[in-house]
């Protein structure tokens, strides 16, 4: 496999950013990691994951859809779409790398979402294998191997060097663009590191969690479960879980009056919010119980029902770490599960 | 303490004094504790927990819980009693339906601070003489207790319970806290520095509304930010202006009512020091209109609901501090 | 009113004026032919107390470079005490804006009675000059509202 | 870049008809004249006034109408209030068509049809009724049972008495909730009226109206011997995108905007009761 010494990472980043916009996870002042546009001197974060997931790059929190100019009774529609620039997201973890295939199933299904596709076409995902998974990790539950991430290309570290391999043509192009910095390397130590990582993954507290008893065929059984009341009773109805989730993709479309025109934009929305399904004449999800149920039913039942059994969760553990009241998909799965 | 609380709760349930207990429920890990309602001794035995991670302020749940049938037992830490008292003042809780047992408070721990030390794979956390012994999948780790204390506890304002039906343990005192230090530090910066500081902080906001929804003072039936007719309803910070606006208005709506319980900062997934905005208002209110602690009593008028004829003029802002 | 001919920065200033005193004061300034800049856009409100913090922020969002709030002198409020509440509210709001690093000279409260046409004109002249010195509002503007 | 379904077309409102005190029917054409797009009966479109709001409305005109589309809209919320206040000539934005349609070319072909509607619920069915009238030879007997609060609340009353009632092979039964001066027709709620009329159980039923009406009518139909597989309805939930991506109009795993709005009751029966 091709490799580059870890102490030459700066050179690698410089080379990538010379031709394309590069985003890397980097440490913020408060200690949390965040994807930022690479600038000289920026260091790759050693944190396991960023607070915000990498979905931002393809499905940003807000984006302009279309502009309108209003003139008396007339309306002018202005298409504001522009071709995205080419960019590389470096250091995407296995869970986030998988999340893109889940988002693809929504946004690239007919009719294709051109806003998403535009960025997807221009973005190269360079994943990074995990070596230090945390207690909140349960990607294995969804068949993800943290030591062998997906993505257009993947990187692995053996502590000394960074090994890079391509998974598809886009990944190969990426490697070609930095070929001068890479040389062939021996992967025996890497294999040891990966084996060790896999051992740790097996020892994680959530390693035994399975999706065996979830899926599209359990729809009414779980929907009518009597556990929802207890599970949702302390839910604050905030959107933290939704907004840190790499696979949550619900959005709202809103208009903003700039004073000289209307901007129609879309933004992330959360099924946990009280107005999510509110209509002029009523709301089918009146209490937090229904909203809470919707989120987890979507991930564990509805999504697999519509997508050949694929679940709407990648086990990244962000909601486990960030929920203000520590209620999360793992607790829901354990409480709900009917064998 | 946990044992004593469970016993107290069981006894009050058995005596028919209360029908339900609101407390904290054990999670998957050492730190992921969820506020919960318990209705039986079995449930209490099974999962009731009170330890270094039970930081959540349960007083806001009482807005809903106290309107249900029967009486609910609430274990309130000193800071929680301020929030509850403020809710009593605002007629948001039905006082008769709540039986309050005051319990000693923190300092409580912040799992994020442990993780920020690079300690991951946490399996258990033990406090041994104010050194945390942390068992992880990567081996044993340790760190000083006080380095993992929640920000809100590090600047604790009071160990005193301002409202309770019964007290467990010793009553504490109002503390001479250092809670305005950071506000003061910011005040002494230049406007540009302050602007840069807040831009850095507020640009992290993902508008998850956790700060609003957890806040015991935010109990409007319909928030202005959820009301499409308000003209300022917005779900996402589409522009830096909206980031600023949301946080100014959020803090302003609780100005004079915020007890400084620190929940907003605790729950922020992006670690924005939101309590600084609330403390700025508290500090200003103290300076301009006299010392005032929201929630300290259930009768006094909130500073923004009253006035004095000789109040300072608004332009005082232009005449003090650093430009 | 003055006619601005040169290309120097011309701020947009929103003045919230209470119906009973300050708006009448502005009227008086007009009937007395006292000059005040055309940068000032007056919004009449029933009482200075009608102005909530959102009004101030929204003015900045929609392109104001400065916002001034004028009401009856303390003690003279048509509704007895409205302006006292305004005073507390705006003191805290302005202090918060200052805390966030928004230039403090962009905001002001002035008490102008119906008889103080001259004070109204003078205040507006002075405030406009102060805001002019600061330049365009960049720290509390909504980029979407900026005219291209 | 290809056109995106989220970018709307312009439509011009060329006629506004006051149907009932709170329902108006709007005629919409493209600025160049003609229809903005083609649709099938039962499909919906997103109408919007930028800055006011955007919402899903069923297309009430039949696809056999080659010149324009019509929308019967009840004044209910923010956008509909605005629409009710506008004048002829106003441009609106329109995108679609969204959703499935009543299976007029497949399952309904050759069948005897029974339409049951309550109030504004006639709007989506009107499209089908007129489609059937214009392709009369493809379908058997047609019966329409339509009820409203009062005579003034009967949507498309003029079209019903002028056209539908004069057609051969269409039986129209109207009812209103309470007796009213100038009304010599039936008085009573729709579910009871359906039972009174005792329609042949060979008919395929298309039903739309307030949820409570649908609930009781369906129970009544079952009593009469109708099977759930014979009954179709059309649903409405809050929608934003119209293409099953924004995630809010689902009932179970089905999105009303994409997999609906038309459902057969046996299909609905498999889904959770959350609508």
């Amino acid at each position: 496999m091709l490799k580059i010494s870890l102490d030459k990472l700066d050179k690698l980043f410089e080379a990538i950013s010379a031709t394309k916009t590069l985003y890397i996870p980097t440490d913020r002042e408060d200690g949390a990691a965040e994807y930022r546009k690479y600038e000289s001197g920026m260091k790759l974060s050693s944190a396991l994951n960023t607070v915000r997931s990498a979905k931002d790059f393809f499905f940003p929190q807000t984006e302009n859809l279309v502009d309108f100019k209003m003139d008396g009774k007339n309306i002018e529609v202005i298409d504001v779409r522009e071709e995205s620039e080419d960019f590389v997201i470096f250091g995407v973890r296995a869970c986030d790398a998988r999340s893109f295939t889940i988002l693809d199933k929504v946004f690239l299904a007919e009719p294709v979402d051109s806003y998403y596709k535009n960025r997807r076409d221009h973005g190269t995902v360079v994943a990074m294998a995990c070596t230090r998974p945390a207690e909140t990790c349960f990607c294995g539950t969804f068949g993800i191997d943290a030591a062998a991430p997906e993505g257009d290309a993947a990187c692995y570290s053996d502590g000394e060097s960074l090994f890079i391999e391509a998974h598809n043509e886009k990944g190969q192009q990426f490697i070609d663009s930095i070929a001068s910095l890479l040389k062939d390397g021996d992967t025996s130590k890497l294999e040891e590191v990966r084996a060790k990582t896999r051992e740790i993954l097996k020892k994680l507290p959530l390693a035994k969690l399975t999706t065996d008893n979830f899926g599209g065929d359990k729809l009414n059984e779980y929907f009518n479960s009597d556990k929802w009341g207890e599970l949702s009773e302390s839910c604050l109805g905030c959107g933290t879980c939704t907004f840190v989730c790499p696979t949550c993709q619900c959005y709202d479309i809103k208009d903003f009056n700039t004073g000289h025109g209307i901007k129609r934009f879309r933004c992330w929305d959360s099924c946990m919010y009280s107005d999510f399904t509110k209509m002029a004449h009523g709301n089918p999800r009146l209490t937090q119980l229904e909203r809470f149920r919707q989120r987890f039913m979507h991930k564990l039942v509805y999504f697999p029902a519509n997508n050949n059994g694929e679940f709407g969760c990648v086990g990244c553990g962000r909601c486990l770490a960030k929920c203000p009241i520590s209620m999360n998909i793992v607790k829901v799965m354990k409480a709900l599960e009917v064998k | 303490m946990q044992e004593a609380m469970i016993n107290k709760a069981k006894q009050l349930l058995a005596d028919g004094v209360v029908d339900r207990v609101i407390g904290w429920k054990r999670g998957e890990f050492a730190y992921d504790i969820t506020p919960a309602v318990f209705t039986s001794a079995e449930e209490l035995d099974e999962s009731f927990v009170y330890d270094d991670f039970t930081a959540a302020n349960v007083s806001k749940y009482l807005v809903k819980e106290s309107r249900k049938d029967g009486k609910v037992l609430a274990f309130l830490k000193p800071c929680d009693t301020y929030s509850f008292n403020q809710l009593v003042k605002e007629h948001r809780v039905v006082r008769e339906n709540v039986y309050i047992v005051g319990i000693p408070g923190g300092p409580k721990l912040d799992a994020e601070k442990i993780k920020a030390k690079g300690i991951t794979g946490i399996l258990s956390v033990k406090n041994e003489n104010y050194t945390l012994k942390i068992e992880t999948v990567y081996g044993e780790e340790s760190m000083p207790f006080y380095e993992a204390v929640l920000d809100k506890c590090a600047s604790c304002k009071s160990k005193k319970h301002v409202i309770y039906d019964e007290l467990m343990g010793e009553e504490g005192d109002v503390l001479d806290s250092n809670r305005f230090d950071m506000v003061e530090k910011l005040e002494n910066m230049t406007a540009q520095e302050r602007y840069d500081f807040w831009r850095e902080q507020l640009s992290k906001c993902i508008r998850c509304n956790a700060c609003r929804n957890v806040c015991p003072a935010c109990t409007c039936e319909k928030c202005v930010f959820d009301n499409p007719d308000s003209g300022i309803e917005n779900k996402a910070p589409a522009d830096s202006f909206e980031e600023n606006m949301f946080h100014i208005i959020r803090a302003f709506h609780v100005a004079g009512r915020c007890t400084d319980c620190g929940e907003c900062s605790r729950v922020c997934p992006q670690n924005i020091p939101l309590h600084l905005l609330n403390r700025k208002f508290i500090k200003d209110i103290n300076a301009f209109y006299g010392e005032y602690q929201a929630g300290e009593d259930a009768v006094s008028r909130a500073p923004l609901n009253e006035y004095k004829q000789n109040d300072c003029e608004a332009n005082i802002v232009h005449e003090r501090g650093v430009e | 009113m003055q006619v601005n001919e040169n290309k120097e920065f011309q701020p947009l200033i929103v003045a919230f004026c209470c119906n009973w005193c300050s708006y009448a004061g502005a009227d008086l300034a007009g009937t007395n032919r006292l000059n005040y800049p055309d940068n000032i856009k007056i919004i009449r409100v029933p009482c200075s107390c009608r102005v909530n913090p959102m009004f101030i922020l929204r003015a900045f969002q929609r392109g104001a470079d400065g916002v001034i709030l004028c009401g009856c002198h303390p003690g003279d409020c048509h509704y007895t005490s409205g302006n006292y509440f305004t005073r507390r509210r705006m003191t805290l709001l302005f202090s918060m804006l200052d805390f966030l690093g928004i230039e403090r000279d962009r905001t002001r409260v002035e008490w102008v009675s119906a008889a103080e046409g001259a004070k109204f004109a003078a205040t507006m002249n002075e405030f406009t000059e102060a805001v002019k010195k600061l330049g365009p509002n960049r720290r509390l503007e909504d980029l979407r509202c900026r005219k291209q | 870049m290809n056109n995106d379904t989220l970018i709307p077309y312009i439509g011009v409102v060329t006629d506004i008809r006051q149907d009932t005190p709170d329902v108006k029917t709007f005629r919409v054409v493209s600025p160049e004249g003609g229809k903005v797009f083609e649709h099938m009966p039962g499909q919906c479109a997103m109408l919007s006034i930028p800055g006011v709001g955007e919402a899903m409305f069923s297309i009430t005109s039949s696809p056999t109408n080659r010149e324009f589309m019509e929308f019967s809209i009840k004044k209910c919320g923010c956008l509909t209030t605005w629409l009710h206040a506008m004048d002829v000539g106003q441009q609106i934005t329109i995108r679609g068509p969204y959703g499935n349609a009543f299976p007029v070319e497949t399952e309904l072909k050759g069948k005897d049809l029974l339409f049951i509607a309550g109030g504004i619920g006639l709007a989506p069915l009107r499209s089908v009724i007129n489609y059937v009238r214009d392709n009369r030879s493809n379908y058997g007997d047609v019966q329409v049972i339509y009820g409203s609060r009062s005579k003034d609340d009967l949507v498309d009353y003029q079209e019903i008495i002028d056209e539908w009632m004069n057609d051969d092979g269409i039986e129209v039964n109207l009812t209103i909730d309470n007796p009213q001066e100038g009304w010599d027709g039936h008085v009573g709620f729709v579910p009871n009226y359906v039972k009174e009329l005792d329609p042949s159980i060979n008919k395929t039923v298309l039903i739309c109206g307030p949820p409570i009406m649908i609930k009781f009518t369906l129970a009544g139909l079952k009593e009469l011997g109708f099977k759930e597989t014979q009954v179709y309805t059309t649903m409405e939930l809050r929608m934003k995108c119209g293409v099953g991506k924004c995630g809010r109009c689902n009932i179970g795993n089905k999105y009303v905007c994409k997999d609906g709005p038309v459902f057969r009751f046996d299909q609905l029966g498999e889904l959770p009761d959350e609508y």
Side-chain angles (χ1 to χ4, degrees), chain D residues 10-271:
Chain D
I10 296 288
V12 186
V13 177
T14 55
D15 183 52
I16 301 175
R17 193 169 74 231
Q18 183 94 39
D19 265 316
T20 77
D22 59 0
V23 176
K24 281 185 177 179
T25 298
F26 302 90
R27 186 169 292 181
V28 177
V29 300
S30 88
E32 297 78 36
K35 288 199 274 188
V36 183
F37 46 74
E38 295 297 327
H39 74 282
M40 287 302 283
Q43 283 194 301
C44 302
M46 274 285 199
L47 302 188
S48 147
I49 299 292
V52 180
E54 190 174 43
M56 194 72 107
F57 297 98
S58 55
I59 306 169
T60 38
S61 56
S62 161
T64 47
N65 184 327
R66 311 306 310 163
E67 287 123 50
F68 53 80
M69 286 195 278
E70 279 190 339
F71 299 87
S72 293
I73 295 171
K74 183 170 172 156
K75 194 169 162 179
C76 196
C78 181
L79 175 66
T80 52
T81 303
W82 208 99
L83 292 174
H84 270 248
M86 72 185 177
D87 297 321
V88 167
Q90 174 71 47
Q91 292 193 341
I92 60 172
T93 73
I94 176 167
R95 58 192 177 91
Y98 293 124
N100 61 2
F102 285 101
V104 283
E105 288 304 312
T106 51
E107 289 147 55
L108 298 185
K109 227 169 183 176
K111 298 271 169 56
D112 292 342
L113 302 177
L114 168 60
F115 296 91
I116 305 174
I120 187 69
L122 186 69
L125 296 187
R126 178 177 170 236
S127 172
V128 200
I129 294 170
N130 282 332
Y131 185 85
V132 169
R133 287 176 59 230
D134 290 336
N135 296 284
R136 200 63 196 82
S137 56
N138 288 342
Y139 307 91
D141 286 348
V142 174
Q143 184 180 6
V144 179
I145 304 174
Y146 177 43
S148 228
R149 281 173 302 185
S150 71
K151 183 183 167 214
D152 307 321
D153 288 300
L154 288 165
V155 181
D156 292 310
Y157 186 59
Q158 217 49 46
E159 182 174 301
I160 295 172
I161 54 169
D162 289 350
E163 299 184 25
W164 300 2
M165 285 185 161
N166 292 327
D167 268 21
D168 285 336
I170 296 194
E171 186 191 340
V172 182
N173 308 99
L174 299 179
T175 181
I176 59 174
D177 290 356
N178 294 304
Q180 187 180 355
E181 216 163 288
W183 177 260
D184 51 5
H186 187 272
V187 175
F189 293 122
V190 171
N192 298 334
Y193 194 33
V194 172
K195 275 202 263 181
E196 268 172 49
L197 290 167
D198 192 15
S200 151
I201 60 161
N202 297 323
K203 291 184 177 177
T204 303
V205 185
L206 289 77
I207 182 170
C208 184
I212 192 78
M213 182 210 94
I214 295 186
K215 193 179 154 202
F216 283 106
T217 308
L218 186 70
L221 287 170
K222 281 184 181 166
E223 262 174 55
L224 294 172
F226 283 87
K227 290 198 257 325
E228 285 195 334
T229 48
Q230 273 173 282
V231 188
Y232 293 83
T233 189
T234 173
M235 311 282 301
E236 185 191 23
L237 285 174
R238 182 165 193 197
M239 297 170 191
K240 281 289 181 180
C241 68
V243 288
K245 299 184 198 289
C246 80
R248 70 197 65 226
C249 68
N250 67 307
I251 304 170
N253 63 321
K254 299 289 182 202
Y255 288 97
V256 173
C257 65
K258 190 182 69 170
D259 306 308
V262 176
F263 290 96
R264 219 168 53 206
F265 267 97
D266 58 314
Q267 298 167 331
L268 270 184
E270 289 166 13
L271 298 174

Side-chain angles (χ1 to χ4, degrees), chain C residues 25-98:
Chain C
D27 250 359
L28 185 63
T31 46
N32 285 351
R33 313 243 166 227
L34 297 169
N35 280 340
Y36 68 90
D38 60 358
N39 309 64
I40 307 278
K41 310 292 176 215
I42 295 181
I43 296 177
R44 180 158 65 156
V45 286
C47 174
S48 58
C49 196
R50 173 68 187 88
V51 177
N52 76 32
M54 223 28 254
F55 285 23
I56 310 276
L57 297 185
R58 285 270 271 189
F60 282 120
Q61 178 182 32
R62 292 308 181 86
D65 299 298
V67 180
I68 182 165
L69 172 54
C70 302
C72 309
H73 283 270
D76 291 347
C77 177
H78 184 79
Y79 307 99
T80 316
S81 57
N83 52 2
Y84 286 122
F85 291 106
T86 309
R87 186 163 63 180
R88 282 205 170 186
R89 216 183 277 160
M90 290 305 141
T91 307
L92 290 181
L93 177 71
F94 293 173
S95 179
M96 177 53 74
L97 292 178
D98 178 48

Side-chain angles (χ1 to χ4, degrees), chain A residues 62-70 80 252-267, chain B residues 207 228 230-243 245, chain C residues 54 57-63 140-148, chain D residues 48-54 240:
Chain A
T62 59
E63 73 178 306
N64 244 15
L65 295 177
V66 57
D67 283 1
F68 300 102
K69 278 255 179 300
M70 315 293 280
V80 291
D252 197 356
I253 298 176
K254 299 176 90 65
D255 289 352
F256 177 77
N257 188 338
T258 61
H260 44 86
I262 306 292
K263 281 188 182 299
R264 180 161 292 172
F265 64 103
R266 79 164 154 205
C267 57
Chain B
R207 268 308 296 278
S230 71
I232 54 160
E233 181 221 21
N234 51 8
K235 274 193 178 152
D239 190 272
S240 64
F241 173 84
E242 287 189 344
E243 290 162 0
M245 177 187 72
Chain C
M54 223 28 254
L57 297 185
R58 285 270 271 189
F60 282 120
Q61 178 182 32
R62 292 308 181 86
L140 201 55
E141 81 165 331
D142 193 318
L143 278 171
R144 296 171 298 178
C145 296
R146 197 193 280 188
K147 285 209 175 79
Q148 264 78 34
Chain D
S48 147
I49 299 292
V52 180
E54 190 174 43
K240 281 289 181 180

